Amino acid sequence: MLLYKLPLGCLILVLLLVFLYYFEKRRRKVRRRTRIFELFLFVAVLYFCLDIATVYTVNHLESVPPLVNKVLHLAFYFAIDWCILLSFLYLVALLDISFSKRQLWGLVYLPYGTGLLIMLCGLPSLEYRIGKETNYSMGIPAYVCYILVAYFFALAVIIWFRNRKNISRNKKITFLLCLPVFMLFMIYQMIYPESLVSSLAITVLILGAYCSAENASTVELMQYHNRVVSAFAEVIESRDDNTGQHVKRTTAYVRLISEELMKRKAFPETLTKTYFHSIIKAAPLHDFGKVAIPDAVLQKKGRLTPEEFEIMKKHTVYGAEMVEHTLSKLEELEDTEVAYQVAMYHHERWDGKGYPKGLQGEEIPLCARIMAVADVFDAVSQKRCYREAMTLDESFAIIDEGTGSQFDPVIATVFLQKRAEVETLIQELETEK
């Protein structure tokens, strides 16, 4: 019975986690971002059951038919690799990393499928060895299984290092704690095959994923954060109706620009899926600082005096400070940083003549450069308390004239090329009023 304690204990722990996961999901009515984790749980339970079964069969060779023993061991190795594949795909989904179909097949599915085929063909080589405490199996299926584990672990490490700047603090901590511990267990298993600690390695991955991203409290906190951001945007809208509609339109433009930039693979090192989602969350808060601007300045019917304009310019600093003080404890690190940058720098200019810092070119964060195009276009194309709206032709001409001086030329060009979609968005938002 001692031989079964470790995989059996892991099975009980994961079954308890499965119960807790679905119980909390139903009780709190939270929605999950991906189904991969649930599939991972199912396969892990199957793996633990096969682990227990093979421990029995390998230690009762005289009573278990050889074919049954080999099939169970092959299924056991398949289950390990299935767990590793799912954990890798879950990591990719969690980090919002995009793979092209060619990359997905070349880096993931082809090596995985080849490995399974070799394991199947190598089944006759499976042999059983006698250990001090338990018998264990070795052969081509075992070796290929370990190779696939090492391959996907190395691939995960490479992906993490290439995207580490856009990974939130809690995800970094999870990665740095769970994956090295997982690999230590697997290395120990490879060196001492009779140790049977591979079940601990899989359990560590599951617990890490659950604690960092999948438990109901974490999901609910993220949803709460989204409601807080929406509430802040409503506060901005309450100052005047133009600002409220301005928030909706500029957010739509930012989404349109960002999606097109991603399609064209512009700024690939920065504009990841995670960064894209952060920009969309941050866009409604770009004018958050206007809540601190006096109504006499914010709603003035005529042109601002130089002194009043200096007061208005402070909304960038006020907004950044508010984001930093209110959101830093509510949202993930990269979201807070992007929201701060959008609020602080969306009035900077490509030629360095903007405010509040006078940043130039790529010194200006990408999110703020995108926001600048959306903000200026909407400001000139809509009626304000101090002037009438320009025509769409005049508004697009403003962006064209500012390309390379006021605006990032790549971003401005994309926006101009998406004119038809912009006009459609304007019509749709007008209909929603």
Side-chain angles (χ1 to χ4, degrees):
M1 184 62 187
L2 290 175
L3 300 175
Y4 309 106
K5 278 191 174 182
L6 187 55
L8 182 60
C10 291
L11 174 61
I12 293 172
L13 179 61
V14 171
L15 285 175
L16 180 62
L17 189 144
V18 169
F19 170 79
L20 187 63
Y21 173 85
Y22 282 104
F23 176 78
E24 288 295 305
K25 178 181 176 182
R26 183 174 181 180
R27 185 174 71 88
R28 301 197 186 201
K29 298 179 180 179
V30 296
R31 297 180 63 184
R32 307 293 173 176
R33 291 179 299 175
T34 174
R35 293 284 182 181
I36 297 178
F37 181 72
E38 295 178 356
L39 182 58
F40 185 21
L41 289 177
F42 169 79
V43 174
V45 170
L46 176 63
Y47 159 77
F48 292 129
C49 293
L50 288 169
D51 195 4
I52 294 170
T54 52
V55 169
Y56 176 84
T57 60
V58 80
N59 286 285
H60 296 80
L61 296 174
E62 68 286 348
S63 59
V64 176
L67 181 60
V68 172
N69 204 1
K70 286 194 173 185
V71 169
L72 283 175
H73 274 82
L74 183 64
F76 169 71
Y77 289 125
F78 275 12
I80 291 180
D81 288 330
W82 199 3
C83 283
I84 300 307
L85 175 66
L86 289 173
S87 63
F88 175 79
L89 294 176
Y90 175 77
L91 175 68
V92 169
L94 194 64
L95 300 182
D96 285 324
I97 295 170
S98 294
F99 275 145
S100 66
K101 288 185 177 180
R102 180 177 295 182
Q103 289 174 323
L104 201 59
W105 279 98
L107 293 175
V108 181
Y109 297 141
L110 184 59
Y112 179 73
T114 302
L116 295 189
L117 183 61
I118 295 173
M119 288 167 62
L120 182 62
C121 295
L123 185 60
S125 72
L126 200 66
E127 59 178 321
Y128 309 107
R129 300 178 183 178
I130 299 175
K132 293 181 179 179
E133 296 184 7
T134 178
N135 296 345
Y136 58 94
S137 61
M138 293 301 292
I140 290 177
Y143 300 135
V144 173
C145 175
Y146 294 151
I147 290 172
L148 286 176
V149 169
Y151 171 77
F152 280 110
F153 177 81
L155 196 58
V157 170
I158 292 170
I159 287 174
W160 185 86
F161 271 105
R162 291 189 62 181
N163 296 274
R164 64 188 183 279
K165 293 182 180 178
N166 299 311
I167 300 175
S168 63
R169 182 168 43 198
N170 69 310
K171 292 175 183 176
K172 283 183 179 179
I173 292 172
T174 300
F175 185 96
L176 292 172
L177 287 178
C178 293
L179 288 191
V181 172
F182 160 81
M183 202 57 199
L184 284 174
F185 279 131
M186 291 307 299
I187 290 173
Y188 189 83
Q189 175 74 49
M190 295 174 193
I191 297 174
Y192 302 103
E194 65 174 303
S195 62
L196 305 179
V197 296
S198 58
S199 55
L200 280 176
I202 302 299
T203 304
V204 165
L205 289 182
I206 293 172
L207 289 176
Y210 178 78
C211 293
S212 66
E214 296 297 334
N215 69 83
S217 298
T218 299
V219 176
E220 202 168 45
L221 182 60
M222 293 173 62
Q223 294 173 346
Y224 174 69
H225 153 257
N226 292 334
R227 290 195 293 269
V228 169
V229 171
S230 298
F232 286 160
E234 290 174 7
V235 169
I236 299 170
E237 291 185 26
S238 70
R239 295 301 304 279
D240 73 79
D241 185 58
N242 285 331
T243 302
Q245 293 300 315
H246 173 69
V247 165
K248 295 176 182 177
R249 287 189 297 267
T250 51
T251 301
Y253 301 153
V254 165
R255 179 183 290 275
L256 180 68
I257 295 169
S258 301
E259 286 177 343
E260 185 61 24
L261 289 171
M262 290 184 71
K263 287 179 183 177
R264 300 186 185 192
K265 300 187 183 304
F267 315 108
E269 295 299 320
T270 303
L271 191 52
T272 62
K273 278 188 176 181
T274 299
Y275 195 83
F276 167 78
H277 293 311
S278 296
I279 295 175
I280 303 306
K281 289 180 185 178
L285 300 178
H286 73 279
D287 277 337
F288 191 26
K290 286 186 176 180
V291 301
I293 303 300
D295 286 344
V297 175
L298 184 65
Q299 300 178 3
K300 185 177 179 179
K301 300 298 183 182
R303 183 175 294 275
L304 298 178
T305 66
E307 293 77 14
E308 289 169 336
F309 186 56
E310 288 301 316
I311 293 173
M312 179 64 81
K313 285 163 64 175
K314 291 181 180 178
H315 82 274
T316 56
V317 178
Y318 293 155
E321 290 175 348
M322 290 176 182
V323 165
E324 190 172 41
H325 294 156
T326 56
L327 298 186
S328 60
K329 302 300 182 183
L330 289 176
E331 62 180 336
E332 295 183 345
L333 183 62
E334 70 270 28
D335 291 345
T336 303
E337 182 66 20
V338 170
Y340 178 92
Q341 292 172 351
V342 164
M344 177 69 86
Y345 303 120
H346 69 282
H347 282 293
E348 299 287 357
R349 290 173 53 107
W350 186 255
D351 58 13
K353 297 178 181 179
Y355 63 88
K357 302 292 185 180
L359 301 182
Q360 183 176 6
E362 294 188 357
E363 292 177 348
I364 308 167
L366 176 62
C367 54
R369 298 186 334 246
I370 294 172
M371 190 75 241
V373 174
D375 186 44
V376 170
F377 176 81
D378 192 71
V380 298
S381 64
Q382 300 295 321
K383 181 180 178 179
R384 293 299 175 91
C385 59
Y386 51 87
R387 59 157 176 78
E388 293 297 317
M390 292 184 179
T391 66
L392 286 180
D393 285 340
E394 292 171 329
S395 300
F396 279 105
I398 292 291
I399 303 299
D400 189 28
E401 291 169 6
T403 300
S405 57
Q406 185 172 359
F407 310 115
D408 181 322
V410 174
I411 295 170
T413 300
V414 164
F415 183 77
L416 292 169
Q417 291 174 349
K418 302 296 287 184
R419 174 168 178 166
E421 289 87 339
V422 172
E423 292 180 357
T424 300
L425 278 175
I426 293 171
Q427 294 173 358
E428 291 175 350
L429 291 169
E430 285 294 324
T431 303
E432 293 176 3
K433 278 187 179 181

